[in-house]
């Protein structure tokens, strides 16, 4: 398969409706409501690139092994996908030391806590995580597919403008190398202004919803923005089975 | 609490070390809180003095604490301290003094802590609270202040001079092409003291003092 005809998201009807209008390098921003399946869509999108380009899956929402299990539960092989886990990193480098700090503050520092300790030269912060991610990104030199699931956690740590800037860097990389990138975010993490800023960067802006309908939930995918093709905005009802999302008949 | 004020290389650290060592010889434990230099490097420098023995540290008669490690352990390594963190820092220093059993304490230097604390207001707050803590503990303490060559200025934050019991000024004085180290007691509460300048010499056996003689007779030898 060539990069020209690789699936967009792995939902054939939607891919067919949107692919002709998207450039080879593009950024998809998925805004999700709770339970709408944005993590699933992220995986389906990743899976759709397997066999065409190297696929990178960065998660901040779950442990790597849980991600991999989720892939398997939809009969997708996680083996070819390269995982990057920003939340493990965050836990080890930021949260764990923070816990230790509050423990020590609580009980008081003792001389023993100082023995065998080295002077810390640099303090770790959210920037080191973002830098690591940007480093990986800068290391790519051929068409790629990349998922960042999700921005929520970065929004907790950084200014919105910094997060938008990161997304912008992802997009410029996709344009340069012909890559497809998807970033996801929960609607609740965004105010109107920040969702406008994010959608502005996107080539394809999608909102995923899950609304109660009788005894079940109805899943909808809204194509809210397709760059240069406002006439292509649309709303599709989705179903989910053990092979992922499908357009409802 | 006595302020040891002086410019770079004037012998502040050496004077403070000797203060702790002389105390230890009399059975008073000492705590050296180092801010600017890592304790390992400090130990290296200290061992070049004959009056200092590493046994003093090994036997916990002199305890050296790296304040940057304390910052790190307390999570005070962000750009600016939050409200309340000054109190945490002071309380921690108080705890460490208590745990070490020290009767003599050195902070080298107060100026560096001030830079870490960032705003002048917080630096003043820190110095006042630290002075309060030391007075509660009943320790004798030397606070190093790195000050420039401006005559009459012995502190950076304006409060140190006022709250301390004494100020000892160390400076370099040029005399006929020689650089002399000079010590002068600017103030010392509750005692009658000389206000004269003394020439000091940093020697392996400690600090030697001689009256500073006017008129260049020093060079007659
Ligand atoms: N073993 C030694 N014997 C004699 N003199 C020494 C010895 N070790 C260091 N010195 C002298 O002590 C001087 C430094 O003294 P000291 O470190 O106490 O000054 P300081 O005021 O603390 O300096 P700084 O501003 O760098 O902290 C050195 O320049 C050196 O001349
Ligand atoms: Mg010094």
């Amino acid at each position: 398969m060539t990069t020209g005809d690789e699936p967009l998201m792995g939902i054939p009807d939607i891919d067919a409706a949107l692919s002709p209008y998207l450039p080879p390098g593009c950024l998809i921003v998925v805004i999700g409501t709770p339970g709408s399946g944005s993590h699933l869509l992220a995986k389906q999108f990743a899976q759709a690139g397997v066999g065409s380009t190297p696929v990178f899956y960065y998660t901040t929402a779950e442990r790597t092994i849980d991600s991999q299990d989720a892939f398997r539960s939809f009969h997708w092989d996680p083996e070819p996908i390269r995982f990057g886990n920003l939340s493990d990193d965050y836990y080890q480098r930021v949260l764990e030391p923070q816990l230790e700090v509050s423990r020590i503050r609580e009980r008081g520092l003792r001389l023993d806590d100082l023995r065998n300790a080295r002077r810390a030269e640099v303090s770790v912060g959210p920037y080191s995580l973002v830098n690591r991610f940007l480093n990986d990104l800068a290391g790519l030199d051929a068409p790629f597919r990349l998922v960042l699931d999700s921005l929520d956690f970065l929004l907790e740590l950084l200014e919105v403008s910094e997060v938008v800037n990161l997304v912008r860097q992802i997009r410029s990389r996709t344009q340069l190398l012909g890559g497809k990138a998807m970033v996801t975010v929960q609607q609740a993490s965004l105010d109107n202004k920040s969702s406008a800023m994010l959608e502005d960067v996107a080539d394809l802006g999608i909102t995923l919803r899950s609304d109660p309908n009788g005894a079940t939930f109805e899943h909808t995918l809204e194509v809210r923005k397709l760059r240069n093709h406002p006439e292509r905005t649309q709303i599709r009802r989705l179903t989910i089975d053990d092979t992922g999302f499908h357009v409802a008949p | 609490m006595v302020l040891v004020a002086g410019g770079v290389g004037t012998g502040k650290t050496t004077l403070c070390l000797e203060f702790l060592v002389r105390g230890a010889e009399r059975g008073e434990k000492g705590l050296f809180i180092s801010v600017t230099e890592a304790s390992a490097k400090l130990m290296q420098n200290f061992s070049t003095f004959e009056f200092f023995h590493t046994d003093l540290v090994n036997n916990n008669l002199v305890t050296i604490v790296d304040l940057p490690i304390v910052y790190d352990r307390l999570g005070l390594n962000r750009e600016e301290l939050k409200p309340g963190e000054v109190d945490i820092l002071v309380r921690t220093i108080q705890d460490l003094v208590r745990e070490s059993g020290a009767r003599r304490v050195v902070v080298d230097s107060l100026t560096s802590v001030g830079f870490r604390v960032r705003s002048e207001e917080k630096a003043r707050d820190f110095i006042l609270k630290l002075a309060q803590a030391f007075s509660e503990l009943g320790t004798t303490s030397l606070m190093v202040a790195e000050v420039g060559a401006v005559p009459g200025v012995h502190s950076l934050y304006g409060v140190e001079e006022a709250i301390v019991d004494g100020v000892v000024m160390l400076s370099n004085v040029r005399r006929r092409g020689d650089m002399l180290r000079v010590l002068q007691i600017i103030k010392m509460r509750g005692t009658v003291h000389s206000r004269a300048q003394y020439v000091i010499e940093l020697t392996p056996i400690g600090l030697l003092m001689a009256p500073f003689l006017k008129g260049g007779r020093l060079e007659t030898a």
Side-chain angles (χ1 to χ4, degrees), chain B residues 7-15 37 45 48-49 108 146 181 202-204:
Chain B
V8 285
T10 49
K12 304 179 296 293
T13 303
T14 310
L15 175 69
E37 273 179 284
N45 295 348
T48 63
F49 291 104
D108 185 4
E146 290 157 26
R181 290 197 168 89
L202 301 179
T203 75

Side-chain angles (χ1 to χ4, degrees), chain A residues 30 32 36-43 149 182 184-186 208 245:
Chain A
V30 176
S36 64
S38 58
H39 300 316
L40 173 58
L41 186 64
K43 292 183 181 75
D149 178 39
M182 176 181 279
T184 68
V185 63
Q186 286 295 309
L208 265 188
F245 279 115

